[in-house]
Amino acid sequence: MTPPEIPRVVVVDDQPESVHSHLLELHESEILDLLVRAPDEVFEEDLVGAKVVLVDYRIDDWPGRDELIPVSLKPLDGLALAAVLRSHFARLEEGTAAIALNAANLDELATASFAGAREEVIAHTHNLEWAFRKASGNGPGIVRKETQILSLAKAVNSLPTEWPTDDQAALRQVTSKLLALPVDSSWAEQAWEDVEFCRPPIHEVAPTTHGLAFLRWLLHRILPYPCFLYSDVHLAHSLRVTPESLRRALSSSDGKLTDCLAEFQFEGILDGFLGHQWWKAGVEHLLWTLTEGEPFDRRLLARAVKNQLSSALVPVEQPHPVVCVDERLRISDSFHDRSNAVEIQPDDWPSYARAPWVPLELAQENRALGSLVVDEDRERLSPPAAGQEGE
Amino acid sequence: MSGLLLDFTELLRELDAIVELASSFLQRETTETVLPRYKSMIENLRHNPVESSFRLTIPEADPLTTITSEGKCEPSGKGPNAYATISSVWEVERIPPKKKRQPAKHLRICGLASTKVRIFEVKDGSANEVAMWRTEIGDSASPGCHFHVQILGDSNRPPFPHSLSVPRLPSLCFTPAAVLEYVLGELFQRSWIKEMARKETALHRWSPVQRARMERLLDWQKTAILNDPSPWLALKRAKPDSELFVE
């Protein structure tokens, strides 16, 4: 069946009138086919062809549910309803949809009281593709929610119907196409090795889930973390420049930097979902080329960045900068020197992603963060008070 | 004996880091068996009291083995096809911790501390040894640089027969892990740098240990040569304090 050109997005909300106006604009512009339904009004034909289902988290106004007595017929919230809808999708022949939560207060679902609500962790924990906040933020670096929803819908639309699991070469081709891996580039082989290192679920799981497992892998394990793709912060770190200056330079009218980096920009499915990202292998190739094989020579790198990329890029001061996360485990814009930071191991951080760091001071002040510090760095936290050493 | 103290945690950290950094350049047997076994020896020594000295070994019969460098020992890529094996014997003693149930913090080198590198050239399907050297830590009575390299010296035949213990060329690396890094840098001139640049997490564990150690070594050497009319003789005679590498 030929995928429809305009992806369908179904929104289930007990207050249908509250649906985001930007989504309605996309519908009016025929970029999305938007169906808005109250929980009592969702029927099978609404799900047919849907690519994204956005389910309200708090469902208070649901008369049909409230009239029933058996608890098994009373999904209390959007998480439960999402599970019900997913079970119905499983019966449809026409493929499946990404199911995402839409919550006014995502922090209620935060998995760690100190870390706040990380969308990818909430989605991963609750069998969802994503978790959105009803009021999406604005500002530089923040991707608009309707952009994300559209990206998600297009991604579902792009998922292949066939996964040639018995043909390694064909499987690689399918995956490379989905990720838009530039196969003719000199760093393509390294990029593919990096992808494989991150264990894409393409052999067993993707085929049995209509490809949704692959989408989830990207959403939950790859895009939010420094794996085979780098965010602007990690790109800045690689170039040893401040993230702020990189963003400024990229958005300026001087196209030299953008042109240089264009070759390495990720353009596969879900590109832009969490902002622009770049292939790690491509960035490493760039560094190698810029420094003519001396990537550890800081002065050479700084000179090359200034002369060949952009003079507007501001070099970082730290001799050994590391990318840190803040107390909410969000990647922070400010680098710290390795001597003033410690490595942590949060529960849900993929083992194949670059390890996160926190400022030493923060780990010393914040006991919860301190408990995540890796063994090798633990002794760098403040020593225990006298009399508290164990036997 | 050397009497040099080394930190258990540092030795283990550098082993973990080099396994991750070097995995693409090592034979599978090395990353899956030889290095884990060596690490396990160090961990056991750290956690369990021993009556006397102990030999930390990477046996010559079962050494660390690199993959074959296909011409990459020359930057042009036109060098010979070669691989290396690394074996090691360190006679050490565990320094008991202050509290018995805690793991030990330090070990002391109390005898032989030798790491042997052998280079094999691969040609027409067979491998022939073409070079060998030993990186060693001297003892309080040994002539020559305390941290040194000796060429060959295994057999009685020249060149460098066993009967001739000179020259002892100064060396900056002496642990098996550091020697491995050195060898990989030599066999894979450019691709080793490239690989290190890719593995930032492992590099963050590797480089602080190596840097701190090398800084102490160089600072000690600098101090040693300060007032002697022959800096070279001063360096040759200098014996480090046993606590050179520990806090």
Side-chain angles (χ1 to χ4, degrees):
Chain A
M1 175 179 133
T2 308
E5 286 180 10
I6 304 174
R8 170 175 284 187
V9 172
V10 176
V11 177
V12 183
D13 198 309
D14 61 347
Q15 293 174 325
E17 67 281 359
S18 70
V19 169
H20 209 273
S21 59
H22 292 302
L23 276 180
L24 293 168
E25 281 168 20
L26 289 177
H27 174 72
E28 278 153 24
S29 310
E30 294 187 2
I31 295 171
L32 283 183
D33 171 23
L34 187 68
L35 293 186
V36 182
R37 297 282 183 264
D40 270 340
E41 297 167 354
V42 184
F43 296 96
E44 193 169 279
E45 56 260 30
D46 298 324
L47 303 182
V48 171
K51 299 301 168 189
V52 175
V53 179
L54 203 58
V55 183
D56 184 21
Y57 174 47
R58 277 202 175 283
I59 307 179
D60 298 323
D61 183 12
W62 192 350
R65 172 194 65 186
D66 298 338
E67 285 165 10
L68 299 171
I69 298 177
V71 293
S72 49
L73 297 176
K74 295 161 78 75
L76 282 185
D77 57 24
L79 289 176
L81 177 56
V84 170
L85 295 174
R86 197 178 291 285
S87 67
H88 282 277
F89 269 109
R91 292 176 54 240
L92 294 178
E93 284 181 17
E94 293 85 2
T96 190
I99 301 183
L101 197 69
N102 199 23
N105 184 11
L106 218 49
D107 282 351
E108 288 180 32
L109 291 164
T111 51
S113 56
F114 67 92
R118 287 156 61 204
E119 289 89 337
E120 65 277 9
V121 177
I122 289 171
H124 182 55
T125 311
H126 294 286
N127 193 29
L128 299 163
E129 275 62 61
W130 198 250
F132 289 100
R133 295 170 195 276
K134 276 197 171 179
S136 63
N138 278 313
I142 294 181
V143 182
R144 290 168 58 151
K145 183 173 153 187
E146 57 277 10
T147 305
Q148 290 182 307
I149 291 169
L150 183 60
S151 174
L152 192 51
K154 285 181 177 173
V156 175
N157 225 8
S158 308
L159 290 172
T161 49
E162 303 274 325
W163 293 82
T165 53
D166 55 353
D167 183 340
Q168 191 77 322
L171 196 53
R172 174 173 169 170
Q173 217 172 359
V174 164
T175 312
S176 297
K177 193 174 167 199
L178 273 176
L179 296 174
L181 199 160
V183 293
D184 295 328
S185 65
S186 56
W187 44 271
E189 198 56 41
Q190 187 61 68
W192 176 249
E193 282 179 22
D194 290 344
V195 170
E196 282 202 305
F197 184 70
C198 297
R199 310 278 189 269
I202 53 178
H203 301 283
E204 301 162 277
V205 191
T208 55
T209 60
H210 301 280
L212 266 192
F214 185 82
L215 212 64
R216 280 197 185 190
W217 169 75
L218 274 177
L219 285 165
H220 300 170
R221 314 306 280 163
I222 303 299
L223 298 180
Y225 303 100
C227 300
F228 58 82
L229 298 174
Y230 278 173
S231 65
D232 51 5
V233 174
H234 283 92
L235 174 59
H237 177 257
S238 296
L239 296 174
R240 295 297 189 263
V241 299
T242 65
E244 199 190 316
S245 69
L246 177 67
R247 278 188 209 113
R248 251 195 330 262
L250 283 172
S251 58
S252 75
S253 55
D254 176 6
K256 184 176 163 196
L257 176 64
T258 313
D259 289 344
C260 276
L261 296 177
E263 179 192 343
F264 316 113
Q265 190 163 325
F266 174 65
E267 292 177 338
I269 58 167
L270 295 169
D271 72 315
F273 187 85
L274 291 179
H276 290 307
Q277 295 192 316
W278 292 264
W279 287 93
K280 172 175 178 270
V283 172
E284 284 161 2
H285 169 81
L286 174 67
L287 287 176
W288 187 261
T289 310
L290 282 176
T291 61
E292 295 177 16
E294 301 287 349
F296 297 119
D297 188 325
R298 283 170 49 214
R299 272 189 288 248
L300 199 57
L301 177 60
R303 200 161 54 232
V305 162
K306 183 182 171 187
N307 294 338
Q308 297 180 53
L309 294 185
S310 170
S311 55
L313 294 172
V314 176
V316 296
E317 289 168 0
Q318 301 88 351
H320 305 290
V322 290
V323 177
C324 286
V325 295
D326 61 21
E327 62 277 359
R328 292 169 70 87
L329 300 180
R330 290 282 181 205
I331 292 175
S332 155
D333 251 21
S334 52
F335 302 147
H336 281 71
D337 192 80
R338 185 180 60 211
S339 58
N340 295 324
V342 285
E343 190 183 320
I344 60 169
Q345 199 168 313
D347 284 354
D348 217 62
W349 200 274
S351 59
Y352 41 72
R354 189 183 280 191
W357 294 68
V358 291
L360 179 58
E361 213 174 65
L362 184 61
Q364 286 169 333
E365 287 165 3
N366 185 318
R367 286 173 70 96
L369 273 183
S371 71
L372 298 178
V373 173
V374 299
D375 207 35
E376 291 91 340
D377 281 341
R378 216 162 274 164
E379 65 194 20
R380 295 174 59 208
L381 299 178
S382 297
Q388 284 181 359
E389 277 188 75
E391 267 290 319
Chain B
M1 68 181 178
S2 159
L4 205 61
L5 290 172
L6 292 170
D7 189 288
F8 269 111
T9 310
E10 267 189 15
L11 289 171
L12 291 166
R13 193 172 297 177
E14 73 170 350
L15 271 178
D16 281 338
I18 198 67
V19 169
E20 205 179 319
L21 284 167
S23 57
S24 308
F25 295 87
L26 299 172
Q27 295 285 350
R28 236 171 111 179
E29 173 75 7
T30 290
T31 49
E32 289 182 3
T33 305
V34 179
L35 278 168
R37 189 171 57 211
Y38 185 65
K39 185 187 166 190
S40 173
M41 242 190 277
I42 298 174
E43 279 176 332
N44 280 330
L45 183 63
R46 184 181 177 218
H47 289 279
N48 301 305
V50 288
E51 289 292 319
S52 57
S53 67
F54 187 86
R55 283 167 76 99
L56 286 174
T57 55
I58 300 172
E60 206 165 335
D62 197 8
L64 309 181
T65 309
T66 72
I67 60 172
T68 301
S69 161
E70 289 170 4
K72 291 180 186 162
C73 56
E74 297 297 333
S76 62
K78 293 176 182 166
N81 294 346
Y83 68 88
T85 66
I86 298 172
S87 56
S88 177
V89 178
W90 275 21
E91 288 171 351
V92 301
E93 61 185 17
R94 178 181 188 262
I95 306 299
K98 284 185 185 146
K99 294 186 190 226
K100 273 189 188 166
R101 286 184 209 173
Q102 280 181 343
K105 225 169 137 36
H106 301 128
L107 57 78
R108 186 196 305 278
I109 310 253
C110 60
L112 180 64
S114 178
T115 302
K116 184 189 282 189
V117 180
R118 299 165 78 187
I119 307 287
F120 293 84
E121 184 178 351
V122 180
K123 218 173 184 178
D124 302 325
S126 64
N128 294 300
E129 183 175 320
V130 293
M132 188 272 274
W133 70 86
R134 285 170 286 129
T135 299
E136 298 188 330
I137 305 175
D139 60 28
S140 53
S142 59
C145 295
H146 192 75
F147 302 95
H148 61 263
V149 165
Q150 278 184 280
I151 313 293
L152 292 170
D154 256 10
S155 94
N156 291 325
R157 283 172 295 146
F160 300 100
H162 183 66
S163 55
L164 182 71
S165 60
V166 296
R168 289 186 185 81
L169 303 165
S171 172
L172 287 175
C173 55
F174 53 87
T175 64
V179 168
L180 174 58
E181 191 203 351
Y182 175 77
V183 167
L184 291 175
E186 292 293 89
L187 284 184
F188 303 92
Q189 293 279 337
R190 285 166 65 83
S191 40
W192 174 240
I193 299 175
K194 218 171 185 176
E195 185 74 0
M196 284 189 99
R198 305 195 67 241
K199 291 189 172 172
E200 184 152 320
T201 300
L203 208 55
H204 277 311
R205 292 199 199 115
W206 175 257
S207 50
V209 172
Q210 302 308 312
R211 181 170 293 109
R213 207 182 272 158
M214 205 175 281
E215 275 176 357
R216 287 175 186 230
L217 182 61
L218 291 170
D219 283 344
W220 163 68
Q221 288 180 331
K222 197 174 165 189
T223 307
I225 67 171
L226 265 179
N227 296 313
D228 205 290
S230 168
W232 176 245
L233 286 179
L235 201 59
K236 199 171 103 63
R237 280 198 310 264
K239 296 293 171 197
D241 188 84
S242 62
E243 294 182 6
L244 176 63
F245 297 114
V246 299
E247 296 291 329

